[in-house]
Amino acid sequence: MRAALIIIISSSPDPYSRSKITLSPLFAPSSQISGAQYSLPDQVSENGAPNQIWEAIGYHPDESNPCPSKQRPLENGIIETKHQADATIVQSLTDKGLTVTEDLDKKSLNIKCDVVIVGSGCGGGVATANLATSGLKVVVLEKGDYYTTADYPVFEGESMEKMYESGGLLASTNGKMTILAGSTVGGGSAVNWSACIKTPKSVLKEWSQKNKIIMFGSPEYEEAMNIGYFPDSNSDFKGKCFEGGIITSVHKVKSGKDIRAIIETPSLGPGSFSALCPWVSGRDFKQRMLKYSRTAHFITIVRDKGSGVVKTEGRISYEMEKFDKENLKAGLRQALRILIAAGAVEVGTHRSDGQKMKCNGISKMEIEQFLNSVLPTRGAQSMVQNWSIYTSAHQMGSCKMGINEKEGAVDENGQSWEAEGLYICDASVLPTAVGVNPMITVESTAYCLSKRLAELMKRESYNACV
């Protein structure tokens, strides 16, 4: 069995061949949208005294590391270019068992391997495991850094900066959408907040019958989901949000048999909270922050039909369709009903005008009047009086799978219609948005596609030998 090597391409003052490799992450025209969140740097007291702001808002982060072990499981299979120089990079690659030749004219390195995988996220990570265990020599190119549990920053701002694309502050060109995407070894699987939800049966039926991608209706795919799916190990509620079992179910907002939206509770630190808070006045903002520890947040996620364009790295446009806005409206109103039923003293949205309602002593008619005023407004920078922040945390569908060139960018095996030997097996190939947190869907898709690719490469190698 052969192992895989991860090469982390980092910025470095040393101009060598690694500077010739440019990785441009793709953000999909089809995504799932929800209430947005992003992080500001944490305000930490420089002299070590208790942070007065944190005390005032009731924020007491647990600074103890739950896993103090310094063990780094992937260390022996990683080369970080930022720690390499001209004199060491070739030897380091050779020591990992790779054949490397230098092209001095082009100032580049030629590395001999069977497979090159760009990105180590939910798709790339699973594909790497399958291809490497099948006996192939695999090299993974990753632009994010490698962190283990012991390395994870305690504070919100540092975590976002290190582990998210553009520090979690990447927005669409028109400012309507904030994009959250993991940018680290492990990608989305490293930053996912334990949401492990199978692909909905209705979606699999659509993909296998309407889109005619047989894989999504196969026992092979169902088996792949079971490999990556773990039942809730502890259904008891705990005192801290990071304790307890993984998320395996969500609240569904339905219209008949159709699911219009799902509702989840996000992990929202004080930086993200403050960024979302509307600015009505200084006094109002401070009052909202003082309620931080007593504020419950819901997010509404829809399976959108809107789309956009990615023309270059970091330049993303996206437009919601009317259908998406109607589903968002249904989800937002249902989320508020849940909070009211749970006994909230006050409910509201993050709309720019500070939309909210006191709940004590209010009548059903007044509640309905307020809910009727809750609408998905236009985004930031839209030059309207009332606007909201939206986010996409699940980008997908930019190179969707299709039965022919008109239907998609890749075929049923994940191979590009335009470039032989180029395969895609991450969220890009999904025919549509999923409607739920997609980690299990992406991993299961990558599992099936990479298994097929491994078998194909074995057959071709055997035929070549014969």
Side-chain angles (χ1 to χ4, degrees):
M1 182 182 76
R2 295 182 181 178
L5 171 69
I6 300 176
I7 302 177
I8 297 178
I9 311 295
S10 306
S11 58
S12 171
D14 179 23
Y16 196 62
S17 60
R18 53 190 174 278
S19 64
K20 303 279 280 189
I21 304 176
T22 302
L23 305 182
S24 299
L26 292 177
F27 296 95
S30 180
S31 58
Q32 290 170 179
I33 53 181
S34 63
Q37 55 179 334
Y38 58 91
S39 183
L40 298 179
D42 304 291
Q43 298 297 316
V44 181
S45 176
E46 295 182 358
N47 59 9
N51 189 304
Q52 294 181 358
I53 296 176
W54 286 0
E55 290 293 326
I57 66 175
Y59 178 62
H60 303 288
D62 185 355
E63 298 186 40
S64 62
N65 194 319
C67 184
S69 172
K70 294 296 182 182
Q71 187 176 11
R72 296 167 62 82
L74 301 180
E75 186 69 30
N76 291 334
I78 285 182
I79 292 177
E80 297 182 76
T81 60
K82 67 182 179 182
H83 298 317
Q84 300 290 328
D86 290 3
T88 63
I89 184 68
V90 174
Q91 188 60 50
S92 294
L93 290 166
T94 303
D95 291 344
K96 300 296 184 183
L98 295 170
T99 300
V100 184
T101 57
E102 296 183 71
D103 188 326
L104 298 178
D105 293 333
K106 295 182 179 179
K107 295 184 178 180
S108 64
L109 299 179
N110 297 318
I111 304 171
K112 187 177 181 180
C113 60
D114 299 311
V115 181
V116 175
I117 294 179
V118 180
S120 62
C122 299
V126 171
T128 299
N130 275 341
L131 293 167
T133 54
S134 72
L136 298 168
K137 185 172 291 187
V138 180
V139 171
V140 181
L141 300 180
E142 171 60 59
K143 74 169 185 175
D145 288 328
Y146 173 45
Y147 301 104
T148 66
T149 305
D151 302 321
Y152 288 161
V154 175
F155 303 115
E156 180 187 15
E158 186 182 2
S159 298
M160 297 290 282
E161 177 64 28
K162 287 184 174 181
M163 303 186 72
Y164 279 84
E165 180 68 28
S166 301
L169 292 170
L170 180 63
S172 60
T173 52
N174 57 14
K176 294 180 179 180
M177 188 73 62
T178 299
I179 291 98
L180 287 175
S183 184
T184 182
V185 172
S189 66
V191 299
N192 176 20
W193 54 36
S194 303
C196 300
I197 304 170
K198 288 185 175 182
T199 316
K201 292 181 180 179
S202 59
V203 175
L204 290 177
K205 183 179 179 180
E206 177 185 326
W207 290 351
S208 60
Q209 296 182 9
K210 182 180 178 180
N211 297 96
K212 299 179 181 180
I213 308 296
I214 305 303
M215 178 187 74
F216 291 112
S218 67
E220 177 191 17
Y221 187 86
E222 186 67 33
E223 179 187 354
M225 284 199 295
N226 290 331
I227 292 173
Y229 177 79
F230 305 93
D232 193 345
S233 59
N234 186 352
S235 60
D236 296 331
F237 287 105
K238 295 285 187 176
K240 297 178 180 178
C241 63
F242 57 81
E243 293 181 340
I246 61 177
I247 301 172
T248 57
S249 183
V250 294
H251 179 81
K252 302 176 181 68
V253 181
K254 293 186 175 182
S255 176
K257 293 183 178 180
D258 296 330
I259 298 174
R260 302 190 65 181
I262 63 173
I263 297 173
E264 296 181 5
T265 301
S267 174
L268 208 62
S272 303
F273 181 90
S274 65
L276 285 174
C277 275
W279 183 272
V280 178
S281 67
R283 181 182 180 84
D284 177 81
F285 185 83
K286 290 175 182 177
Q287 288 176 338
R288 289 174 184 266
M289 290 304 301
L290 287 171
K291 297 174 184 176
Y292 168 77
S293 61
R294 295 177 286 112
T295 300
H297 275 80
F298 281 165
I299 57 173
T300 295
I301 300 176
V302 300
R303 187 187 179 205
D304 63 310
K305 293 181 179 294
S307 62
V309 177
V310 183
K311 292 188 175 180
T312 186
E313 183 173 2
R315 301 291 294 174
I316 306 155
S317 64
Y318 178 86
E319 292 292 340
M320 283 191 288
E321 290 190 1
K322 183 178 179 181
F323 175 84
D324 305 327
K325 294 180 180 179
E326 288 299 311
N327 285 340
L328 271 175
K329 180 172 68 176
L332 287 169
R333 292 179 179 181
Q334 180 66 3
L336 290 166
R337 287 191 182 97
I338 294 171
L339 291 169
I340 293 169
V345 174
E346 182 181 88
V347 296
T349 69
H350 290 302
R351 203 170 72 182
S352 59
D353 63 343
Q355 183 182 41
K356 61 183 178 180
M357 176 188 73
K358 298 284 186 181
C359 299
N360 291 340
I362 199 166
S363 67
K364 289 185 178 180
M365 182 179 294
E366 289 173 309
I367 291 175
E368 289 305 313
Q369 287 177 345
F370 175 76
L371 293 177
N372 288 337
S373 71
V374 175
L375 302 167
T377 58
R378 297 175 67 179
Q381 297 186 15
S382 56
M383 305 302 290
V384 294
Q385 184 176 1
N386 297 328
W387 51 269
S388 300
I389 299 174
Y390 300 93
T391 191
S392 167
H394 309 137
Q395 299 83 42
M396 61 193 79
S398 57
C399 297
K400 71 177 185 176
M401 194 182 300
I403 57 173
N404 54 51
E405 294 182 57
K406 292 183 178 179
E407 296 294 324
V410 299
D411 64 20
E412 294 174 83
N413 295 315
Q415 182 172 211
S416 167
W417 291 105
E418 299 178 347
E420 184 179 357
L422 173 62
Y423 289 80
I424 303 175
C425 56
D426 60 10
S428 303
V429 305
L430 301 182
T432 68
V434 184
V436 298
N437 306 65
M439 185 178 76
I440 297 299
T441 298
V442 177
E443 291 177 339
S444 301
T445 301
Y447 181 87
C448 294
L449 294 179
S450 59
K451 277 288 187 182
R452 293 180 182 182
L453 178 57
E455 292 168 2
L456 174 65
M457 295 186 71
K458 275 186 177 181
R459 290 197 301 269
E460 290 182 346
S461 176
Y462 174 79
N463 292 336
C465 291
V466 173

